[in-house]
Amino acid sequence: MHYLIISFSHKNSTIAIREKLAFVDEIQQVKSMEKLNSSPAISESMILSTCNRVEIFCSCNDTDAASEAVFELLCSRSGMSRDDLHSRADIFDDEGCIHHLFSVASSLDSMVVGETQIAGQLKDAFKLSQENGYSAQKLSRAMNYGFKCAAEVRNATNISSKPVSVASVAVAKVKESVGDLNGKKALVIGSGEMSVITCKHLSAQGVEVTLMNRTFEKAEAIAAECNARVRAYEELAYAINENELLFTATGSLQPIITEEMVKPCSYDRYWFDMAVPRDIECDPEIWGIHLFSVDDLKEIVNENIALREDEAKLSYVIIRRHVVGFFEWLKTLSIEPLIKSMYVRAYRAAANETARVIENGYIPKEHADAVQKATEQALKRFLHPFAQRMRDGSDSMRVDALIESMSFLMEQDEGEEMSQTSCKYYPKGK
């Protein structure tokens, strides 16, 4: 068994590329995971798609064949060539894959280091995969251990002491450009977490916030929480020309703001498109609009990284320790139940053989205990070097092959004494 992640992020791909690769709804993700799991090389899969990254996480028996299956899927979705995608992608397997996963979960690989959204996005992606049957024991082990690692990073460092996000960086950029935001008017479009965070940051700065969403009831619920007013989505074409500030973060497949909707205004406008695919499609220079996408916020992001550099170093030490611990734990988790089962069966065979020779009169009945002990000791001496080699000499990435082989030899179902979906080892039935 191997772990594999193929990653397209703000580090290796432009927003235009990420738009082509993005999975904008759960239906697309579920269909794609179904296709991935139909590959003979892939047993489990999960898809993470955010404004800054598109990543596919797999458990597989052949990393090369699994990679080809992933690229085939992405080529058909994006219309890009396999060579183009391969040249851009970051490919992580086995230990590198787990290190990357833990880094993402701990928000060290985010554009805004220490941002708080990624852990929730990762949990949602895993939940979707698990509930639809595309993740089981292998990915579950890694994901749960990754969340455990992320929790220690948060608790042991100050990297998330001042929660930040792309939305908060966008508001900071506006404040840097405009100055005092008190009394300014802002339009926020969308009802996701990004929109909620944006509304809260703007309201805290004294901005008059108007919220829009295709579902009016969702907008009302957020507005009540964020001290904002709600406007019908049907008035979008008018609203975009009546506010100095605009923030969009929808899941629309097509731009919701187009060239013909924009009208000239007498004041400067600052528009932030935080969606992938992008929500805004117009020429900002014609209309005197300061238009920013997710990737345009890197200047503030770089300052964020510099301020958190020392905390990031400590965080990577924690991550590295958890990666090593994960594979050690994985090996122990997999091997010990098999070793125990092997000894139990050997001792059972010793008891049966003792009973047989006594019953047939080959040995006096009064020597039964001595025969039993001698037989058990002989089997123990014989099995000990094999058990020791299984504990100490097995390569981390070959553990599942070993467990499957031993389970087959002992006619025992894999995972009989282990949870198929939990990271915790426990006897079956408890």
Side-chain angles (χ1 to χ4, degrees):
M1 187 277 298
H2 299 272
Y3 286 116
L4 172 72
I5 286 180
I6 294 182
S7 170
F8 296 86
S9 71
H10 60 95
K11 293 183 175 180
N12 62 20
S13 304
T14 64
I15 190 170
I17 298 298
R18 301 199 302 276
E19 282 178 326
K20 294 179 180 180
L21 297 170
F23 296 80
V24 296
D25 58 47
E26 293 184 353
I27 295 175
Q28 290 186 15
Q29 289 179 275
V30 169
K31 288 183 178 179
S32 295
M33 287 187 288
E34 180 182 9
K35 186 173 182 179
L36 288 170
N37 282 33
S38 67
S39 166
I42 297 174
S43 58
E44 301 175 30
S45 64
M46 185 188 87
I47 297 173
L48 175 65
S49 183
T50 73
C51 62
N52 285 324
R53 65 182 64 249
V54 174
E55 297 189 336
I56 296 181
F57 181 24
C58 298
S59 168
C60 57
N61 55 45
D62 184 327
T63 54
D64 289 337
S67 296
E68 287 304 315
V70 172
F71 281 118
E72 180 182 348
L73 170 70
L74 295 177
C75 286
S76 64
R77 283 183 49 80
S78 66
M80 299 175 64
S81 69
R82 192 263 185 210
D83 290 341
D84 194 8
L85 287 174
H86 192 274
S87 67
R88 297 173 184 277
D90 286 327
I91 304 175
F92 306 93
D93 62 2
D94 297 337
E95 187 173 328
C97 171
I98 297 302
H99 189 282
H100 178 73
L101 174 66
F102 290 5
S103 299
V104 171
S106 303
S107 81
L108 291 185
D109 196 65
S110 298
M111 177 185 285
V112 183
V113 176
E115 57 100 351
T116 56
Q117 285 182 279
I118 188 61
Q121 292 167 333
L122 197 56
K123 287 178 181 178
D124 289 342
F126 176 53
K127 181 181 178 182
L128 180 66
S129 174
Q130 194 174 47
E131 288 180 344
N132 285 277
Y134 300 117
S135 289
Q137 187 184 71
K138 309 302 189 301
L139 293 195
S140 179
R141 290 173 177 175
M143 293 300 298
N144 282 281
Y145 215 97
F147 294 139
K148 173 183 170 184
C149 174
E152 183 170 337
V153 168
R154 288 195 303 271
N155 294 331
T157 71
N158 293 319
I159 200 160
S160 297
S161 58
K162 294 180 180 179
V164 289
S165 64
V166 171
S168 64
V169 170
V171 175
K173 183 66 176 178
V174 171
K175 191 173 182 180
E176 176 188 294
S177 303
V178 178
D180 186 12
L181 297 180
N182 189 46
K184 300 290 185 182
K185 294 182 179 180
L187 176 65
V188 178
I189 309 171
S191 62
E193 186 178 4
M194 191 89 75
S195 298
V196 175
I197 295 172
T198 302
C199 286
K200 288 181 176 179
H201 280 288
L202 291 170
S203 295
Q205 297 290 332
V207 177
E208 297 179 20
V209 181
T210 298
L211 186 65
M212 274 188 169
N213 188 60
R214 291 184 189 276
T215 306
F216 193 80
E217 290 75 17
K218 285 186 178 181
E220 282 187 314
I222 297 172
E225 180 184 350
C226 304
N227 191 31
R229 62 185 289 263
V230 182
R231 190 166 178 178
Y233 190 80
E234 290 72 21
E235 300 179 28
L236 177 63
Y238 303 101
I240 64 172
N241 298 299
E242 297 172 3
N243 293 270
E244 300 159 88
L245 312 176
L246 182 146
F247 299 81
T248 68
T250 77
S252 174
L253 290 170
Q254 303 297 329
I256 62 171
I257 298 174
T258 56
E259 196 79 55
E260 57 270 18
M261 297 168 65
V262 185
K263 306 299 180 185
C265 291
S266 59
Y267 47 81
D268 287 338
R269 286 178 286 182
Y270 293 83
W271 287 7
F272 288 83
D273 189 343
M274 300 180 291
V276 177
R278 283 171 286 189
D279 284 331
I280 302 173
E281 189 177 75
C282 71
D283 187 343
E285 293 185 3
I286 295 177
W287 307 105
I289 296 171
H290 305 277
L291 177 60
F292 301 90
S293 68
V294 169
D295 289 358
D296 293 324
L297 303 175
K298 288 186 177 179
E299 184 178 342
I300 294 179
V301 169
N302 290 336
E303 293 176 8
N304 168 267
I305 293 174
L307 289 172
R308 294 167 183 256
E309 186 174 355
D310 291 338
E311 298 299 326
K313 289 179 181 178
L314 176 58
S315 299
Y316 277 118
V317 171
I318 296 171
I319 288 171
R320 178 58 188 165
R321 176 161 49 81
H322 275 79
V323 170
V324 173
F326 171 72
F327 285 112
E328 289 297 324
W329 167 79
L330 188 67
K331 182 167 65 175
T332 302
L333 181 70
S334 303
I335 294 301
E336 288 303 325
L338 279 176
I339 293 175
K340 179 181 178 180
S341 179
M342 184 171 65
Y343 273 91
V344 167
R345 292 184 179 219
Y347 290 167
R348 189 182 300 142
N352 291 338
E353 187 62 19
T354 299
R356 187 184 70 82
V357 297
I358 296 297
E359 183 180 345
N360 290 333
Y362 300 144
I363 295 176
K365 193 172 184 178
E366 57 268 25
H367 297 312
D369 288 344
V371 173
Q372 176 71 20
K373 290 180 180 179
T375 307
E376 286 184 357
Q377 188 62 29
L379 287 171
K380 186 176 179 181
R381 287 181 181 277
F382 175 76
L383 293 174
H384 178 72
F386 294 99
Q388 194 63 37
R389 185 168 179 80
M390 288 170 70
R391 288 190 181 102
D392 300 334
S394 58
D395 182 86
S396 303
M397 285 294 99
R398 296 179 181 175
V399 166
D400 280 275
L402 176 60
I403 194 172
E404 289 173 6
S405 299
M406 292 298 295
S407 296
F408 171 76
L409 292 174
M410 292 190 288
E411 298 181 340
Q412 176 177 310
D413 290 337
E414 182 188 0
E416 185 177 324
E417 301 181 57
M418 290 176 285
S419 161
Q420 292 293 316
T421 58
S422 172
C423 264
K424 296 180 180 178
Y425 166 73
Y426 57 85
K428 187 179 180 181
K430 292 192 177 181

